[in-house]
Amino acid sequence: MGEMNTAELLVKCLENEGVEYIFGLPGEENLHILEALKDSSIQFITTRHEQGAAFMADVYGRLTGKAGVCLSTLGPGATNLMTGVADANLDGAALVAITGQVGTDRMHIESHQYLDLVAMFAPVTKWNKQIVRPSITPEVTRKAFKLAQSEKPGAVHIDLPENIAAMPVDGQPLKRDDQEKTYASYRSLNAAAMAISKAKNPLILVGNGTIRAHASEALTEFATTLNIPVANTFMGKGAVPYTHPLSLWTVGLQQRDVITCAFEQSDLVIAVGYDLIEYSPKKWNPEGTTPIIHIGMTPAEIDSSYIPLVEVVGDISDSLMDILKRADRQGKSTSVAAGVRTKLVTEYDHYAHDEGFPIKPQKIIYDLRQVMGPEDIVISDVGAHKMWMARHYHCDTPNTCLISNGFAAMGIAIPGAIAAKLVAPDKKVVAVTGDGGFMMNCQELETALRAGTPFVTLIFNDNGYGLIEWKQINQFGKSSFIKFTNPDFVKFAESMGLKGYRVESADDLVPTLKTALEQGVPAVIDCPVDYQENIRFSQKSGDLSCQVWE
């Protein structure tokens, strides 16, 4: 390819990996990379904070299965990047983080802005490496992407010292290898089918691994044919359509809920693409006595409440279809699940015409669901609204409601919505956030405007950290240190060249959402929320009786 410098070879390797975007900030120590990108097919999107850049790469990776790429300089730029990198790693989103670094001639002494970034990123990545010689760049890059995108996906980190970046090198990208499917053993398939055939009240628990494996169609056929109800984790939304009569919607609240009854009555939980980080098995199997079948791409994690009878390890779709051929559940009923679903649907519909103001979170989400199409995308931030989004925003298809529930980092929604709009420009995209999460990365709305990614940010406004208040009241009967004041969000949006709206009655929300989604620029909706519903829900869950099917 002729002589080039290491930074130019790195960019060639990134192009070879199919990278479309790099999200990041310019800095002194990544100047050579930025210069190499000027003539590249890769689009560099300049963000306003490195955390926003990492969140964009995180959500890009989660939506596409391809590694999102983010770039920072050394020192404070790299430390800013870490939260989003950790989020991708724990949420199972493929991400490659690239940091600039001081020259190797400065690493042995106390030096301006120098930190050992390889050591720093090690706990929040699957693998990381510093490029210490120009010639190893193709190997480091290929390994980074292979590991980031392999099951379970996650984050990797490449550190490039500035003197190495400038050195001349001859080389070319390595060929990308296609990974072959893995198949479960006949023994495990037969054992799983036998256990499923014998069970009286089996229940499927589906996690994000099913979505990553594109196994939703196979799962729906499996559940329908064998007449087994399905509950999804926060990150497994849409794996089975929420309208399906066997769908019990979402499990994962940190307290008892109607869906808890289905787990308490189950004599076999079939965990499909389930990762323990999504919802601890100690919450749904506290005694560790419920029999479990683990179906996934990787072996089960070790946990005293998650000891499977059978581990079916291999391609999830093939495993489900192979078990389906072997299992027989003719004549088996799902009366418990039917009762649970009826209770859930009745409660959901109860808020359709609620006129209270400030608006109850259930009503806000009900209205949002009416406005969004089955293929449209919402990105939920973290806070009290996340609990309600998980419980009440239901999905027809995978990757249409993204919730971070591994690392669960506040501030992900707005940067994530930018990535979602880049991936799916023809879909409506809404970032759902609390006022706390909004203020953590609201600067990226300027990035959204500049990048041409119009979406709506819907703020649940309660002038406080609502989730912490909820937990404080549950635990101590009172709250402390959670209240704050907010700017005028409408004026804030308008000052950036965006559209701003304020909801002033329950009837306002649907028309405001529709209007905001039609704008050619990003829009912000300030919606006051009545979080007294948090405490009411806790009181109801404490009094919950599992006779809902009678």
Side-chain angles (χ1 to χ4, degrees), residues 69-258:
V69 181
C70 53
L71 174 70
S72 79
T73 187
L74 80 175
T79 58
N80 283 347
L81 207 64
M82 277 193 72
T83 296
V85 172
D87 191 89
N89 202 47
L90 268 67
D91 277 11
L95 178 147
V96 173
I98 302 171
T99 55
Q101 182 57 285
V102 302
T104 54
D105 56 334
R106 284 208 275 147
M107 291 181 185
H108 65 291
I109 55 174
E110 186 176 1
S111 189
H112 180 64
Q113 292 190 319
Y114 172 65
L115 290 172
D116 184 343
L117 298 183
V118 173
M120 190 180 81
F121 275 89
V124 298
T125 55
K126 291 178 72 175
W127 177 79
N128 72 337
K129 187 63 62 178
Q130 185 176 85
I131 297 178
V132 293
R133 291 189 302 279
S135 61
I136 69 172
T137 301
E139 291 175 345
V140 170
T141 308
R142 179 79 279 273
K143 182 170 182 177
F145 278 82
K146 183 171 184 175
L147 288 175
Q149 293 168 173
S150 299
E151 190 66 26
K152 177 186 174 184
V156 298
H157 165 236
I158 299 172
D159 192 39
L160 181 59
E162 60 179 337
N163 64 331
I164 303 294
M167 287 181 182
V169 61
D170 261 333
Q172 58 184 356
L174 299 185
K175 182 179 181 296
R176 294 160 61 186
D177 54 329
D178 294 323
Q179 295 185 21
E180 292 291 326
K181 278 187 182 182
T182 57
Y183 296 95
S185 70
Y186 288 118
R187 183 203 61 79
S188 66
L189 294 167
N190 289 332
M194 184 177 297
I196 291 168
S197 299
K198 289 180 178 178
K200 292 181 179 179
N201 288 310
L203 176 64
I204 296 169
L205 173 60
V206 56
N208 188 241
T210 303
I211 293 173
R212 293 196 303 266
H214 306 287
S216 296
E217 187 176 330
L219 175 66
T220 303
E221 183 179 346
F222 177 88
T224 303
T225 304
L226 296 178
N227 199 28
I228 303 175
V230 181
N232 58 259
T233 65
F234 287 19
M235 296 173 66
K237 280 181 171 290
V240 169
Y242 80 100
T243 52
H244 195 290
L246 290 166
S247 173
L248 301 186
W249 299 352
T250 302
V251 66
L253 295 180
Q254 300 300 306
Q255 51 195 300
R256 283 170 59 80
D257 195 0
V258 175

Side-chain angles (χ1 to χ4, degrees), residues 493-510:
E494 291 173 347
S495 74
M496 300 177 80
L498 316 182
K499 297 289 185 180
Y501 305 90
R502 182 171 292 107
V503 174
E504 297 181 340
S505 74
D507 293 336
D508 279 355
L509 184 54
V510 167

